[in-house]
Amino acid sequence: MRRAGWLLACVLAAGCGPLSQTHHNPGNSHEVATAAASPAPGEAHTDITVVAGRVSPPSGWLEVAKGQQVSITVTSDVPDELHVHGYDLEAELPAGRSVTIRFKAGLTGVFKVETHKSELVLTQLAVR
């Protein structure tokens, strides 16, 4: 029993190790556009809308390869702030206007993309 507990602790520590460093080693450069932007060829892209506290499409996964360009376009009916955890990317979300954030997925792991004020999970970015 003691060996199983030790093994579980090692697996959890190994699985969480790289993610625990993401706030200390933020991602590469990024850009924020205050209007909907068309994805570039080969770019992973998702469009997300928030209306009356509901996320559409419902929160899911955006899977990308390490090094791939990513663009996330969000439109909210109320002012808020967009945040990509792990990459420490933030953008203001004015009510009724689309905002696109673009960056290179330079860190592997799973990262929440959420709104700060309303605390809604918009999607999870899985970088492999």
Side-chain angles (χ1 to χ4, degrees):
M1 186 66 165
R2 182 179 264 178
R3 182 179 288 190
W6 180 82
L7 181 60
L8 178 61
C10 288
V11 168
L12 290 174
C16 296
L19 294 179
S20 67
Q21 292 299 314
T22 58
H23 282 284
H24 300 291
N25 302 311
N28 297 316
S29 64
H30 68 284
E31 69 179 69
V32 176
T34 55
S38 299
E43 183 174 63
H45 178 78
T46 189
D47 286 299
I48 300 168
T49 303
V50 179
V51 175
R54 293 187 180 262
V55 178
S56 179
S59 183
W61 296 89
L62 178 60
E63 294 192 35
V64 303
K66 183 178 180 183
Q68 187 173 9
Q69 281 294 123
V70 177
S71 67
I72 301 169
T73 300
V74 179
T75 307
S76 176
D77 63 341
V78 296
D80 211 322
E81 185 175 271
L82 173 65
H83 183 211
V84 180
H85 283 271
Y87 286 84
D88 291 332
L89 304 177
E90 297 179 354
E92 290 299 317
L93 288 174
R97 292 182 44 203
S98 296
V99 171
T100 300
I101 190 166
R102 283 193 156 99
F103 59 98
K104 185 175 181 179
L107 301 171
T108 57
V110 177
F111 308 95
K112 281 188 205 177
V113 179
E114 67 179 4
T115 57
H116 265 185
K117 294 175 187 169
S118 58
E119 299 181 347
L120 296 172
V121 175
L122 305 176
T123 192
Q124 292 191 70
L125 178 67
V127 183
R128 302 181 193 283

